[in-house]
Amino acid sequence: MLEHIFFAFWFFAPVGLANVSAFFSSKIPILKKYNYPVDFHLKFRKKRILGSHKTIRGFVFGILMAILGVSFQIYLYNHVSFFREIETIDYSSINPILFGFLCGFGALTGDAIKSFFKRRAGLVPGRSWAPFDQIDYILGGIVFTALYIQLAWTHYLLIFILWSIIHPLGTFAGFLVRLRRKPI
């Protein structure tokens, strides 16, 4: 069972990295000037489509970090025998740019879709909307990564459960080190 949990963590780590990187891109001073919203300030039924928190900067940075994450996984797979012995996927055959893009784009698209519905529900950006704030990037990541690598449904279920636990723990850790204003 431990091998399956490690697989779920390892396989989906670039998706999680993209999700958190989009958030951290707002904390990097040199990137602050690239704060243009993905929805270009457009409205749907008198409400912003996504809101100001979904930025082109976050999308680009998140996708780039996912590509770097996949590249790092491939490097470790090719140079550290431990990863080759326990992995069920041949990482040496993965295109890091394509798979990394799908990881990042999937995570951030899932988050953006949730934001669309959050705006329709009248919730302001930054306000918690459980459980959707915790699972949006997971669902998007699953859908988009499945376009490149198909897993057994049991792997997807384990990924969903594991990352549904990791997300609130990471959010709370961010609160403890004062990167977030709210614990969840």
Side-chain angles (χ1 to χ4, degrees):
M1 182 63 174
L2 200 55
E3 288 177 3
H4 295 292
I5 292 171
F6 179 79
F7 173 82
F9 175 78
W10 178 260
F11 177 79
F12 220 63
V15 175
L17 180 62
N19 187 56
V20 74
S21 295
F23 168 77
F24 279 115
S25 72
S26 67
K27 309 291 184 196
I28 301 171
I30 196 168
L31 297 178
K32 286 198 181 219
K33 64 182 175 181
Y34 302 105
N35 190 31
Y36 204 77
V38 172
D39 67 7
F40 299 101
H41 300 285
L42 297 173
K43 294 182 179 183
F44 177 76
R45 295 186 179 174
K46 299 181 182 181
K47 293 181 183 178
R48 285 284 299 277
I49 294 173
L50 300 176
S52 297
H53 286 74
K54 304 299 169 224
T55 64
I56 292 172
R57 172 199 62 217
F59 256 80
V60 170
F61 193 69
I63 290 169
L64 287 175
M65 292 306 292
I67 291 169
L68 287 174
V70 171
S71 298
F72 184 63
Q73 287 178 319
I74 292 168
Y75 176 83
L76 289 175
Y77 182 84
N78 288 331
H79 293 88
V80 180
S81 62
F82 168 78
F83 292 101
R84 285 190 305 278
E85 292 168 9
I86 65 167
E87 271 307 313
T88 56
I89 294 174
D90 179 8
Y91 273 82
S92 65
S93 66
I94 291 176
N95 179 324
I97 295 172
L98 178 57
F99 189 60
F101 174 83
L102 292 170
C103 288
F105 190 76
L108 301 173
T109 299
D111 185 56
I113 291 169
K114 179 261 322 192
S115 291
F116 174 80
F117 288 106
K118 194 174 180 179
R119 298 294 87 75
R120 305 295 73 74
L123 299 170
V124 297
R127 183 168 176 209
S128 182
W129 196 31
F132 307 109
D133 283 331
Q134 291 73 35
I135 64 171
D136 53 0
Y137 78 99
I138 300 169
L139 295 174
I142 287 172
V143 168
F144 279 84
T145 59
L147 297 173
Y148 190 79
I149 297 173
Q150 294 79 42
L151 303 174
W153 70 270
T154 53
H155 283 118
Y156 290 120
L157 180 62
L158 186 56
I159 285 168
F160 183 83
I161 292 168
L162 179 67
W163 284 90
S164 293
I165 294 168
I166 290 172
H167 184 273
L169 293 175
T171 300
F172 187 69
F175 170 74
L176 291 176
V177 296
R178 299 178 188 212
L179 291 172
R180 297 187 60 87
R181 293 184 194 141
K182 297 178 183 176
I184 298 291

